[in-house]
Amino acid sequence: MKREHKHAIAALTGLIVGAATGVGIAKRYQKRKLEKELTTVASGRKGERQAYLIGGGLGSLSAAAYLIQDAGFAGENIHIIEGLDILGGSNDGAGNPISGFVCRGGRMLNEETYENFWDLFSTIPSLEWSGKSVTEEILNFDHLHPTHAQARLVDKHGVIQDVKSMQFHNMDRMLMSKLLLTPEEKLDNVTIEEWFQESPHFFTTNFWYMWQTTFAFQKWSSVFEFRRYMNRMMLEFSRIETLEGVTRTPYNQYESLILPLKSYLEGYGVDFSIKAMVEDIDFKEDAVTVVDLHINENGKQRILHLEDGDLCMLCNGCMSDCATLGDFKHPAPYQPENPMSGSLWKKIADKKPSLGNPVPFFSKPEETNWESFTVTCRGNRLLKMIEQFSGNIPGSGALMTFKDSNWLMSIVVAAQPHFKAQDQNTTIFWGYGLYTDQVGNYIKKPMRECSGEEILLELLGHLHFEEFTKDILADIVNVIPCMMPYVDAQFQPRAMSDRPHVVPSDATNFAMISQFVEIPEDMVFTEEYSVRAARIAVYTLLDINKKVRPVSAYWKNPKVLARAGKTMFR
């Protein structure tokens, strides 16, 4: 790799792991490291129960909030240990108007579901709206910016498709109905493609193109997870062509969710230790009882010993492991080796069988990768052109998918500004491609080998904006590609036993919080899954007599089922 390429990647990687809003980069998020000698006693009130949360994503932050609110923990007795130098996990958003902005991805929210998510954030004060909660802030913003996409699918001629019909044949309908009636225990290791092998037509329907790109499914993804999504999102099935059920945050999710939650926890004195990687966990021989954490802090090895009564909660898998960034002139490197969370999970699963099996999820990056890109522009020329093409003003649309794209490319334009650091002359939008190993339709290279400029040119080809290329390129600040080798890992075919329970049956002081634990009826790749797992972990380990909000069973609601049935025959 050329020296200037290395420098560019390092600088851009700093946007994700060392920046919050582009102002005061890396200063606010590198404090309170593991400065204390961890070989004997950790920080906190001596003699009181401590909680160690490994991983600084939404799950651990939520668990910390539940420990404070429902378990009466003092904040200084809660320790969040993160291997990177910024919190937030896969909820990110960083940059500035000079170098460009970047989001690796974005999680969609839903007002009618996400039961524990809305509950939790109703207790977290908004940083923007005095006297209001984050839940109130988000729902107020969303109600003022309703989603009603008018351009969900676009063909190779640049024609917006009529997607009112799902385009199912009778065999498609039969196999869909059969799947929803099939018990989960009969679906171990079955892929979506295997389930629909009698009807290849299914993969040519409007429904599949919209469902696949909205949730990032592949044909080789688990039909188990597809079934969970169909049940959990039954309410959305009848409005998939407009995505009216999507709820948006005012800004990117790092600034709209992670920062207010972190600020709340800081107010209680929670201890954040960043750039401290837990490399191994020791257990007692006869139970899943954590006794020691092996920590690497800046190359220095330490052992943190847990006393009787202390707790440990682990993010046992992270979808953004091994993520890399490129820039306008350089592709994002594809580097799937040694995923941080997946490697730790394998170490502990080899010791304790009840901790699941990471192999199905973290062993096939060629099947689990996709690549996103964030475009930063001076002015709004390109956004205006997209608005005129799609019929949606920024923030009112949803994923627009180019169905004949070899990369299966989609884009979405959020309400502006999407970052607090955006100025009035800066606009951004985001996109992604599911098939990164395929040669583009206009740029004759695989997506993963393309620079940000080449990805943008491919997009302009699908939009048929080629005659405006020179003017558009003159407006571009940056196009930042992001390669994520394991972003679809949670959808991999698996056996029911591969995902561990949040609190294994033989665990005494240990729980797991991630998209890779088993929560009956709920669906992975959502903010709700992380929050729900955190709540289950805290309530179970501490025997708290409060109920976790149940999954809303819309698939049992006669009115919802009637609308879904009508949609299936459109």
Side-chain angles (χ1 to χ4, degrees), residues 458-474:
E458 179 79 6
L459 172 63
L460 297 183
H462 286 294
L463 287 165
H464 296 275
F465 288 173
E466 296 100 325
E467 64 181 293
F468 306 104
T469 297
K470 183 177 179 180
D471 290 337
I472 290 171
L473 290 179

Side-chain angles (χ1 to χ4, degrees), residues 297-368:
E297 183 195 4
N298 295 320
K300 184 178 180 181
Q301 303 290 331
R302 301 176 183 269
I303 295 177
L304 190 155
H305 180 70
L306 273 67
E307 304 293 341
D308 289 345
D310 290 348
L311 305 177
C312 178
M313 302 181 202
L314 167 70
C315 175
N316 62 303
C318 178
M319 68 182 73
S320 52
D321 260 357
C322 299
T324 59
L325 298 177
D327 65 9
F328 194 68
K329 291 297 183 182
H330 303 101
Y334 178 63
Q335 298 173 342
E337 298 81 13
N338 302 315
M340 180 167 58
S341 65
S343 298
L344 177 57
W345 184 13
K346 186 175 189 311
K347 284 182 181 179
I348 65 171
D350 286 345
K351 299 177 183 181
K352 299 290 183 181
S354 66
L355 303 187
N357 177 21
V359 173
F361 310 105
F362 287 96
S363 62
K364 296 182 179 179
E366 285 298 317
E367 295 183 0
T368 59

Side-chain angles (χ1 to χ4, degrees), residues 550-567:
V551 170
S552 299
Y554 284 107
W555 66 90
K556 297 178 182 179
N557 184 310
K559 291 183 179 179
V560 173
L561 286 172
R563 288 196 296 269
K566 184 178 180 181
T567 300

Side-chain angles (χ1 to χ4, degrees), residues 245-261:
V246 170
T247 302
R248 310 291 179 97
T249 54
Y251 297 103
N252 61 84
Q253 286 159 351
Y254 182 78
E255 293 178 312
S256 287
L257 299 177
I258 300 301
L259 285 185
L261 184 50

Side-chain angles (χ1 to χ4, degrees), residues 327-450:
D327 65 9
F328 194 68
K329 291 297 183 182
H330 303 101
Y334 178 63
Q335 298 173 342
E337 298 81 13
N338 302 315
M340 180 167 58
S341 65
S343 298
L344 177 57
W345 184 13
K346 186 175 189 311
K347 284 182 181 179
I348 65 171
D350 286 345
K351 299 177 183 181
K352 299 290 183 181
S354 66
L355 303 187
N357 177 21
V359 173
F361 310 105
F362 287 96
S363 62
K364 296 182 179 179
E366 285 298 317
E367 295 183 0
T368 59
N369 76 84
W370 47 259
E371 186 167 13
S372 69
F373 58 95
T374 311
V375 182
T376 304
C377 309
R378 300 179 193 90
N380 66 348
R381 183 200 311 265
L382 183 50
L383 257 63
K384 276 291 184 184
M385 294 173 67
I386 294 173
E387 176 184 327
Q388 291 167 3
F389 176 83
S390 68
N392 282 109
I393 63 172
S396 71
L399 275 179
M400 179 166 65
T401 295
F402 302 95
K403 64 187 295 286
D404 299 316
S405 162
N406 291 347
W407 300 346
L408 197 55
M409 179 186 279
S410 302
I411 62 171
V412 63
V413 181
Q416 305 292 305
H418 195 54
F419 295 83
K420 294 180 183 180
Q422 272 182 257
D423 57 34
Q424 292 184 342
N425 193 45
T426 303
T427 53
I428 72 102
F429 67 93
W430 180 90
Y432 86 111
L434 269 174
Y435 303 140
T436 69
D437 60 337
Q438 299 298 304
V439 172
N441 303 74
Y442 300 91
I443 302 297
K444 299 304 180 179
K445 295 167 66 175
M447 185 181 189
R448 69 178 65 170
E449 296 178 12
C450 288

